[in-house]
Amino acid sequence: WRNALDMEDRYEVVNPRDPKCRIDLVVCLGGDGTILHANTILNQYSAAQQIEQLPPVVSFGMGSLGFLTPFSVQDWKPTLEEIFASTSKRDAINCSLRSRLTCKIDSGDVRSVLNDVVIGRGVSPSLCKLSCTVDQQPVALFQSDGLIISTPSGSTAYSLSAGGTMVAPSISCTLLTPIAPHSLSSRPVAIHGESCIEVTVPTTARSPAFVSFDGRDPMYELPVGETLTIEPSPLSLPLLTYHGFDHEWFQSLTTKLGWNTRVEQKPLHSSSNSRKRHSKNGGGGKNKRGASHKKIISSERSSYRRAGSVSDTTSRSSWKRTG
């Protein structure tokens, strides 16, 4: 590995579906979309190897936003050297375990997503009608442009644009965010991360629904009467970070989304300064200011009356001469 840092050795293209393939570390150069693509490759790798844990991912930001890319691409060499040198608990590298969702279709197709699965109306002009159950309990009949089912990692993606809440990656939950619902009472909700969700296109729907997995694959058509099952994946994605817990996540909210950014309110004058000003003016200072204020108002009103009387007289006299 250390010799590979000099970029002089040859690299080999491997097939993640090959049983002989072994991946110890994933290095991503790009943006958040590159991480989603790497997640697709790891899905193929985990299915072929029957592994119990995904390899760690170190991502260097070269994209636009970079919620999942905490490391700078300019520091790629010292970062990798530090990772390879960490052989003890004292030199351990921080890691954020990102929850994923496993999606199963009645046809037998299985996908795992890191951000979200979106069920929408596609090219149909009709409302997307979706019946949703959580842990076999009927929850809602969504009539909207679609439904976003996202992980905490995906809460700052499409779900955020549709009005969903932002959730820290360390929280175990799943978000249900309707897209443009035709109802004043339909709101996003967060449910337990271990819940099993079933979304069915009811027989009363006017058209089928279309499903997108992490926005990576072509949209899958979900026919009327068919069900999509979403449940937590047993394999989380280990994402290496600079700091522990949700430090990078909160930092990204502020620096990349401008969360809670506002010009700071100026403080009120202290009570001691107010007492000093009051003592300077004396006990009757307030009444004097009030009296002068009344004089100004009365003088303005009298000037308005004088101006009005002149204009009225002028208009009447001109009317008489014209008549």
Side-chain angles (χ1 to χ4, degrees), residues 123-155:
V123 296
S124 173
S126 303
L127 281 174
C128 183
K129 187 182 291 188
L130 300 171
S131 175
C132 179
T133 63
V134 176
D135 294 331
Q136 299 182 353
Q137 177 182 351
V139 171
L141 178 65
F142 292 102
Q143 298 182 91
S144 59
D145 281 352
L147 179 65
I148 305 170
I149 302 174
S150 69
T151 64
S153 298
S155 66

PDB file of all heavy atoms in Angstrom, residues 123-155:
ATOM      1  N   VAL A 123     -43.713  10.144 -15.802  1.00  0.00           N
ATOM      2  CA  VAL A 123     -44.204  10.990 -16.896  1.00  0.00           C
ATOM      3  C   VAL A 123     -45.722  11.103 -16.892  1.00  0.00           C
ATOM      4  O   VAL A 123     -46.290  11.806 -17.723  1.00  0.00           O
ATOM      5  CB  VAL A 123     -43.733  10.436 -18.252  1.00  0.00           C
ATOM      6  CG1 VAL A 123     -42.217  10.481 -18.343  1.00  0.00           C
ATOM      7  CG2 VAL A 123     -44.220   8.997 -18.459  1.00  0.00           C
ATOM      8  N   SER A 124     -46.390  10.419 -15.971  1.00  0.00           N
ATOM      9  CA  SER A 124     -47.850  10.454 -15.926  1.00  0.00           C
ATOM     10  C   SER A 124     -48.335  11.808 -15.405  1.00  0.00           C
ATOM     11  O   SER A 124     -47.783  12.342 -14.437  1.00  0.00           O
ATOM     12  CB  SER A 124     -48.376   9.338 -15.019  1.00  0.00           C
ATOM     13  OG  SER A 124     -49.772   9.461 -14.840  1.00  0.00           O
ATOM     14  N   PRO A 125     -49.390  12.385 -16.012  1.00  0.00           N
ATOM     15  CA  PRO A 125     -49.940  13.652 -15.510  1.00  0.00           C
ATOM     16  C   PRO A 125     -50.839  13.482 -14.300  1.00  0.00           C
ATOM     17  O   PRO A 125     -51.222  14.478 -13.670  1.00  0.00           O
ATOM     18  CB  PRO A 125     -50.731  14.180 -16.709  1.00  0.00           C
ATOM     19  CG  PRO A 125     -51.170  12.951 -17.430  1.00  0.00           C
ATOM     20  CD  PRO A 125     -50.068  11.942 -17.256  1.00  0.00           C
ATOM     21  N   SER A 126     -51.181  12.261 -13.943  1.00  0.00           N
ATOM     22  CA  SER A 126     -52.092  12.005 -12.834  1.00  0.00           C
ATOM     23  C   SER A 126     -51.347  12.010 -11.504  1.00  0.00           C
ATOM     24  O   SER A 126     -50.125  11.878 -11.438  1.00  0.00           O
ATOM     25  CB  SER A 126     -52.793  10.650 -13.009  1.00  0.00           C
ATOM     26  OG  SER A 126     -53.487  10.593 -14.234  1.00  0.00           O
ATOM     27  N   LEU A 127     -52.119  12.174 -10.425  1.00  0.00           N
ATOM     28  CA  LEU A 127     -51.552  12.043  -9.091  1.00  0.00           C
ATOM     29  C   LEU A 127     -51.002  10.642  -8.884  1.00  0.00           C
ATOM     30  O   LEU A 127     -51.542   9.668  -9.405  1.00  0.00           O
ATOM     31  CB  LEU A 127     -52.616  12.335  -8.026  1.00  0.00           C
ATOM     32  CG  LEU A 127     -52.962  13.790  -7.720  1.00  0.00           C
ATOM     33  CD1 LEU A 127     -54.134  13.837  -6.764  1.00  0.00           C
ATOM     34  CD2 LEU A 127     -51.770  14.511  -7.114  1.00  0.00           C
ATOM     35  N   CYS A 128     -49.930  10.573  -8.110  1.00  0.00           N
ATOM     36  CA  CYS A 128     -49.375   9.267  -7.742  1.00  0.00           C
ATOM     37  C   CYS A 128     -50.067   8.820  -6.453  1.00  0.00           C
ATOM     38  O   CYS A 128     -49.942   9.462  -5.411  1.00  0.00           O
ATOM     39  CB  CYS A 128     -47.872   9.383  -7.549  1.00  0.00           C
ATOM     40  SG  CYS A 128     -47.065   7.820  -7.167  1.00  0.00           S
ATOM     41  N   LYS A 129     -50.798   7.729  -6.534  1.00  0.00           N
ATOM     42  CA  LYS A 129     -51.523   7.226  -5.373  1.00  0.00           C
ATOM     43  C   LYS A 129     -50.744   6.040  -4.796  1.00  0.00           C
ATOM     44  O   LYS A 129     -50.512   5.041  -5.477  1.00  0.00           O
ATOM     45  CB  LYS A 129     -52.941   6.793  -5.756  1.00  0.00           C
ATOM     46  CG  LYS A 129     -53.805   6.423  -4.563  1.00  0.00           C
ATOM     47  CD  LYS A 129     -55.183   5.942  -4.997  1.00  0.00           C
ATOM     48  CE  LYS A 129     -56.013   7.047  -5.587  1.00  0.00           C
ATOM     49  NZ  LYS A 129     -57.419   6.601  -5.827  1.00  0.00           N
ATOM     50  N   LEU A 130     -50.340   6.184  -3.529  1.00  0.00           N
ATOM     51  CA  LEU A 130     -49.503   5.174  -2.881  1.00  0.00           C
ATOM     52  C   LEU A 130     -50.070   4.840  -1.513  1.00  0.00           C
ATOM     53  O   LEU A 130     -50.323   5.733  -0.698  1.00  0.00           O
ATOM     54  CB  LEU A 130     -48.062   5.677  -2.727  1.00  0.00           C
ATOM     55  CG  LEU A 130     -47.318   6.050  -4.013  1.00  0.00           C
ATOM     56  CD1 LEU A 130     -45.997   6.719  -3.682  1.00  0.00           C
ATOM     57  CD2 LEU A 130     -47.102   4.823  -4.885  1.00  0.00           C
ATOM     58  N   SER A 131     -50.252   3.550  -1.260  1.00  0.00           N
ATOM     59  CA  SER A 131     -50.702   3.073   0.043  1.00  0.00           C
ATOM     60  C   SER A 131     -49.481   2.630   0.838  1.00  0.00           C
ATOM     61  O   SER A 131     -48.684   1.810   0.369  1.00  0.00           O
ATOM     62  CB  SER A 131     -51.675   1.902  -0.130  1.00  0.00           C
ATOM     63  OG  SER A 131     -52.037   1.359   1.121  1.00  0.00           O
ATOM     64  N   CYS A 132     -49.324   3.180   2.042  1.00  0.00           N
ATOM     65  CA  CYS A 132     -48.120   2.945   2.836  1.00  0.00           C
ATOM     66  C   CYS A 132     -48.471   2.285   4.155  1.00  0.00           C
ATOM     67  O   CYS A 132     -49.400   2.715   4.856  1.00  0.00           O
ATOM     68  CB  CYS A 132     -47.388   4.268   3.084  1.00  0.00           C
ATOM     69  SG  CYS A 132     -45.891   4.113   4.072  1.00  0.00           S
ATOM     70  N   THR A 133     -47.717   1.238   4.499  1.00  0.00           N
ATOM     71  CA  THR A 133     -47.846   0.586   5.797  1.00  0.00           C
ATOM     72  C   THR A 133     -46.479   0.544   6.464  1.00  0.00           C
ATOM     73  O   THR A 133     -45.445   0.422   5.793  1.00  0.00           O
ATOM     74  CB  THR A 133     -48.388  -0.845   5.676  1.00  0.00           C
ATOM     75  OG1 THR A 133     -47.442  -1.639   4.927  1.00  0.00           O
ATOM     76  CG2 THR A 133     -49.729  -0.866   4.960  1.00  0.00           C
ATOM     77  N   VAL A 134     -46.470   0.676   7.794  1.00  0.00           N
ATOM     78  CA  VAL A 134     -45.245   0.600   8.583  1.00  0.00           C
ATOM     79  C   VAL A 134     -45.416  -0.508   9.604  1.00  0.00           C
ATOM     80  O   VAL A 134     -46.332  -0.466  10.427  1.00  0.00           O
ATOM     81  CB  VAL A 134     -44.948   1.936   9.292  1.00  0.00           C
ATOM     82  CG1 VAL A 134     -43.715   1.808  10.180  1.00  0.00           C
ATOM     83  CG2 VAL A 134     -44.747   3.046   8.271  1.00  0.00           C
ATOM     84  N   ASP A 135     -44.548  -1.510   9.526  1.00  0.00           N
ATOM     85  CA  ASP A 135     -44.636  -2.687  10.398  1.00  0.00           C
ATOM     86  C   ASP A 135     -46.038  -3.313  10.334  1.00  0.00           C
ATOM     87  O   ASP A 135     -46.658  -3.603  11.371  1.00  0.00           O
ATOM     88  CB  ASP A 135     -44.273  -2.304  11.842  1.00  0.00           C
ATOM     89  CG  ASP A 135     -42.817  -1.881  11.970  1.00  0.00           C
ATOM     90  OD1 ASP A 135     -41.988  -2.365  11.185  1.00  0.00           O
ATOM     91  OD2 ASP A 135     -42.513  -1.037  12.838  1.00  0.00           O
ATOM     92  N   GLN A 136     -46.542  -3.445   9.109  1.00  0.00           N
ATOM     93  CA  GLN A 136     -47.840  -4.066   8.803  1.00  0.00           C
ATOM     94  C   GLN A 136     -49.033  -3.260   9.332  1.00  0.00           C
ATOM     95  O   GLN A 136     -50.149  -3.766   9.365  1.00  0.00           O
ATOM     96  CB  GLN A 136     -47.893  -5.498   9.347  1.00  0.00           C
ATOM     97  CG  GLN A 136     -46.832  -6.407   8.744  1.00  0.00           C
ATOM     98  CD  GLN A 136     -46.923  -7.835   9.259  1.00  0.00           C
ATOM     99  OE1 GLN A 136     -47.701  -8.129  10.159  1.00  0.00           O
ATOM    100  NE2 GLN A 136     -46.133  -8.727   8.674  1.00  0.00           N
ATOM    101  N   GLN A 137     -48.796  -2.032   9.714  1.00  0.00           N
ATOM    102  CA  GLN A 137     -49.876  -1.168  10.173  1.00  0.00           C
ATOM    103  C   GLN A 137     -50.140  -0.099   9.116  1.00  0.00           C
ATOM    104  O   GLN A 137     -49.231   0.638   8.731  1.00  0.00           O
ATOM    105  CB  GLN A 137     -49.514  -0.499  11.500  1.00  0.00           C
ATOM    106  CG  GLN A 137     -50.579   0.472  11.996  1.00  0.00           C
ATOM    107  CD  GLN A 137     -50.176   1.151  13.284  1.00  0.00           C
ATOM    108  OE1 GLN A 137     -49.179   0.785  13.897  1.00  0.00           O
ATOM    109  NE2 GLN A 137     -50.942   2.141  13.712  1.00  0.00           N
ATOM    110  N   PRO A 138     -51.385   0.007   8.619  1.00  0.00           N
ATOM    111  CA  PRO A 138     -51.689   1.051   7.630  1.00  0.00           C
ATOM    112  C   PRO A 138     -51.414   2.441   8.189  1.00  0.00           C
ATOM    113  O   PRO A 138     -51.846   2.781   9.296  1.00  0.00           O
ATOM    114  CB  PRO A 138     -53.181   0.847   7.345  1.00  0.00           C
ATOM    115  CG  PRO A 138     -53.461  -0.562   7.754  1.00  0.00           C
ATOM    116  CD  PRO A 138     -52.549  -0.851   8.901  1.00  0.00           C
ATOM    117  N   VAL A 139     -50.682   3.251   7.433  1.00  0.00           N
ATOM    118  CA  VAL A 139     -50.286   4.572   7.891  1.00  0.00           C
ATOM    119  C   VAL A 139     -50.990   5.673   7.111  1.00  0.00           C
ATOM    120  O   VAL A 139     -51.596   6.569   7.690  1.00  0.00           O
ATOM    121  CB  VAL A 139     -48.755   4.743   7.798  1.00  0.00           C
ATOM    122  CG1 VAL A 139     -48.349   6.186   8.053  1.00  0.00           C
ATOM    123  CG2 VAL A 139     -48.057   3.819   8.775  1.00  0.00           C
ATOM    124  N   ALA A 140     -50.923   5.606   5.775  1.00  0.00           N
ATOM    125  CA  ALA A 140     -51.488   6.704   4.991  1.00  0.00           C
ATOM    126  C   ALA A 140     -51.690   6.248   3.551  1.00  0.00           C
ATOM    127  O   ALA A 140     -51.042   5.312   3.071  1.00  0.00           O
ATOM    128  CB  ALA A 140     -50.584   7.930   5.035  1.00  0.00           C
ATOM    129  N   LEU A 141     -52.587   6.960   2.885  1.00  0.00           N
ATOM    130  CA  LEU A 141     -52.763   6.852   1.436  1.00  0.00           C
ATOM    131  C   LEU A 141     -52.276   8.169   0.849  1.00  0.00           C
ATOM    132  O   LEU A 141     -52.973   9.186   0.891  1.00  0.00           O
ATOM    133  CB  LEU A 141     -54.221   6.592   1.069  1.00  0.00           C
ATOM    134  CG  LEU A 141     -54.520   6.498  -0.437  1.00  0.00           C
ATOM    135  CD1 LEU A 141     -53.829   5.275  -1.051  1.00  0.00           C
ATOM    136  CD2 LEU A 141     -56.024   6.432  -0.688  1.00  0.00           C
ATOM    137  N   PHE A 142     -51.054   8.166   0.335  1.00  0.00           N
ATOM    138  CA  PHE A 142     -50.459   9.395  -0.195  1.00  0.00           C
ATOM    139  C   PHE A 142     -50.982   9.645  -1.605  1.00  0.00           C
ATOM    140  O   PHE A 142     -50.921   8.779  -2.474  1.00  0.00           O
ATOM    141  CB  PHE A 142     -48.934   9.287  -0.217  1.00  0.00           C
ATOM    142  CG  PHE A 142     -48.306   9.248   1.143  1.00  0.00           C
ATOM    143  CD1 PHE A 142     -47.866   8.043   1.677  1.00  0.00           C
ATOM    144  CD2 PHE A 142     -48.156  10.400   1.893  1.00  0.00           C
ATOM    145  CE1 PHE A 142     -47.282   7.995   2.935  1.00  0.00           C
ATOM    146  CE2 PHE A 142     -47.570  10.352   3.157  1.00  0.00           C
ATOM    147  CZ  PHE A 142     -47.136   9.158   3.676  1.00  0.00           C
ATOM    148  N   GLN A 143     -51.485  10.862  -1.822  1.00  0.00           N
ATOM    149  CA  GLN A 143     -51.900  11.313  -3.139  1.00  0.00           C
ATOM    150  C   GLN A 143     -51.102  12.572  -3.456  1.00  0.00           C
ATOM    151  O   GLN A 143     -51.425  13.660  -2.987  1.00  0.00           O
ATOM    152  CB  GLN A 143     -53.406  11.581  -3.178  1.00  0.00           C
ATOM    153  CG  GLN A 143     -54.240  10.341  -2.888  1.00  0.00           C
ATOM    154  CD  GLN A 143     -55.726  10.607  -2.968  1.00  0.00           C
ATOM    155  OE1 GLN A 143     -56.350  10.451  -4.008  1.00  0.00           O
ATOM    156  NE2 GLN A 143     -56.300  11.019  -1.849  1.00  0.00           N
ATOM    157  N   SER A 144     -50.044  12.390  -4.209  1.00  0.00           N
ATOM    158  CA  SER A 144     -49.062  13.453  -4.407  1.00  0.00           C
ATOM    159  C   SER A 144     -48.289  13.178  -5.684  1.00  0.00           C
ATOM    160  O   SER A 144     -48.649  12.294  -6.474  1.00  0.00           O
ATOM    161  CB  SER A 144     -48.112  13.501  -3.207  1.00  0.00           C
ATOM    162  OG  SER A 144     -47.454  12.242  -3.059  1.00  0.00           O
ATOM    163  N   ASP A 145     -47.212  13.940  -5.866  1.00  0.00           N
ATOM    164  CA  ASP A 145     -46.307  13.653  -6.978  1.00  0.00           C
ATOM    165  C   ASP A 145     -45.405  12.462  -6.678  1.00  0.00           C
ATOM    166  O   ASP A 145     -44.745  11.946  -7.592  1.00  0.00           O
ATOM    167  CB  ASP A 145     -45.447  14.880  -7.283  1.00  0.00           C
ATOM    168  CG  ASP A 145     -46.193  15.927  -8.086  1.00  0.00           C
ATOM    169  OD1 ASP A 145     -47.314  15.635  -8.530  1.00  0.00           O
ATOM    170  OD2 ASP A 145     -45.659  17.038  -8.271  1.00  0.00           O
ATOM    171  N   GLY A 146     -45.354  12.055  -5.427  1.00  0.00           N
ATOM    172  CA  GLY A 146     -44.522  10.912  -5.076  1.00  0.00           C
ATOM    173  C   GLY A 146     -44.204  10.877  -3.600  1.00  0.00           C
ATOM    174  O   GLY A 146     -44.713  11.681  -2.804  1.00  0.00           O
ATOM    175  N   LEU A 147     -43.330   9.951  -3.228  1.00  0.00           N
ATOM    176  CA  LEU A 147     -42.944   9.747  -1.836  1.00  0.00           C
ATOM    177  C   LEU A 147     -41.448   9.461  -1.782  1.00  0.00           C
ATOM    178  O   LEU A 147     -40.933   8.644  -2.553  1.00  0.00           O
ATOM    179  CB  LEU A 147     -43.730   8.587  -1.226  1.00  0.00           C
ATOM    180  CG  LEU A 147     -43.414   8.221   0.230  1.00  0.00           C
ATOM    181  CD1 LEU A 147     -43.803   9.350   1.167  1.00  0.00           C
ATOM    182  CD2 LEU A 147     -44.137   6.926   0.614  1.00  0.00           C
ATOM    183  N   ILE A 148     -40.757  10.152  -0.867  1.00  0.00           N
ATOM    184  CA  ILE A 148     -39.323   9.936  -0.657  1.00  0.00           C
ATOM    185  C   ILE A 148     -39.141   9.186   0.651  1.00  0.00           C
ATOM    186  O   ILE A 148     -39.629   9.620   1.701  1.00  0.00           O
ATOM    187  CB  ILE A 148     -38.560  11.269  -0.596  1.00  0.00           C
ATOM    188  CG1 ILE A 148     -38.830  12.106  -1.837  1.00  0.00           C
ATOM    189  CG2 ILE A 148     -37.059  11.020  -0.442  1.00  0.00           C
ATOM    190  CD1 ILE A 148     -38.296  13.518  -1.739  1.00  0.00           C
ATOM    191  N   ILE A 149     -38.450   8.073   0.596  1.00  0.00           N
ATOM    192  CA  ILE A 149     -38.103   7.307   1.792  1.00  0.00           C
ATOM    193  C   ILE A 149     -36.586   7.362   1.914  1.00  0.00           C
ATOM    194  O   ILE A 149     -35.866   6.795   1.084  1.00  0.00           O
ATOM    195  CB  ILE A 149     -38.606   5.860   1.696  1.00  0.00           C
ATOM    196  CG1 ILE A 149     -40.124   5.843   1.482  1.00  0.00           C
ATOM    197  CG2 ILE A 149     -38.240   5.067   2.937  1.00  0.00           C
ATOM    198  CD1 ILE A 149     -40.692   4.475   1.223  1.00  0.00           C
ATOM    199  N   SER A 150     -36.103   8.060   2.928  1.00  0.00           N
ATOM    200  CA  SER A 150     -34.671   8.359   2.983  1.00  0.00           C
ATOM    201  C   SER A 150     -34.061   7.973   4.318  1.00  0.00           C
ATOM    202  O   SER A 150     -34.744   7.861   5.335  1.00  0.00           O
ATOM    203  CB  SER A 150     -34.424   9.854   2.721  1.00  0.00           C
ATOM    204  OG  SER A 150     -34.896  10.626   3.789  1.00  0.00           O
ATOM    205  N   THR A 151     -32.763   7.798   4.281  1.00  0.00           N
ATOM    206  CA  THR A 151     -31.950   7.589   5.473  1.00  0.00           C
ATOM    207  C   THR A 151     -31.557   8.955   6.047  1.00  0.00           C
ATOM    208  O   THR A 151     -31.778   9.990   5.409  1.00  0.00           O
ATOM    209  CB  THR A 151     -30.678   6.810   5.111  1.00  0.00           C
ATOM    210  OG1 THR A 151     -29.893   7.621   4.207  1.00  0.00           O
ATOM    211  CG2 THR A 151     -31.022   5.492   4.425  1.00  0.00           C
ATOM    212  N   PRO A 152     -30.955   8.992   7.233  1.00  0.00           N
ATOM    213  CA  PRO A 152     -30.431  10.274   7.719  1.00  0.00           C
ATOM    214  C   PRO A 152     -29.414  10.899   6.768  1.00  0.00           C
ATOM    215  O   PRO A 152     -29.361  12.128   6.652  1.00  0.00           O
ATOM    216  CB  PRO A 152     -29.793   9.898   9.060  1.00  0.00           C
ATOM    217  CG  PRO A 152     -30.603   8.734   9.531  1.00  0.00           C
ATOM    218  CD  PRO A 152     -30.929   7.956   8.295  1.00  0.00           C
ATOM    219  N   SER A 153     -28.623  10.084   6.086  1.00  0.00           N
ATOM    220  CA  SER A 153     -27.672  10.630   5.106  1.00  0.00           C
ATOM    221  C   SER A 153     -28.401  11.324   3.972  1.00  0.00           C
ATOM    222  O   SER A 153     -27.919  12.327   3.427  1.00  0.00           O
ATOM    223  CB  SER A 153     -26.771   9.521   4.554  1.00  0.00           C
ATOM    224  OG  SER A 153     -25.987   8.940   5.578  1.00  0.00           O
ATOM    225  N   GLY A 154     -29.568  10.795   3.588  1.00  0.00           N
ATOM    226  CA  GLY A 154     -30.336  11.383   2.503  1.00  0.00           C
ATOM    227  C   GLY A 154     -31.252  12.504   2.933  1.00  0.00           C
ATOM    228  O   GLY A 154     -31.941  13.103   2.095  1.00  0.00           O
ATOM    229  N   SER A 155     -31.266  12.823   4.222  1.00  0.00           N
ATOM    230  CA  SER A 155     -32.167  13.878   4.696  1.00  0.00           C
ATOM    231  C   SER A 155     -31.757  15.251   4.190  1.00  0.00           C
ATOM    232  O   SER A 155     -32.567  16.179   4.188  1.00  0.00           O
ATOM    233  CB  SER A 155     -32.209  13.885   6.234  1.00  0.00           C
ATOM    234  OG  SER A 155     -30.950  14.261   6.774  1.00  0.00           O
TER     235      SER A 155
END
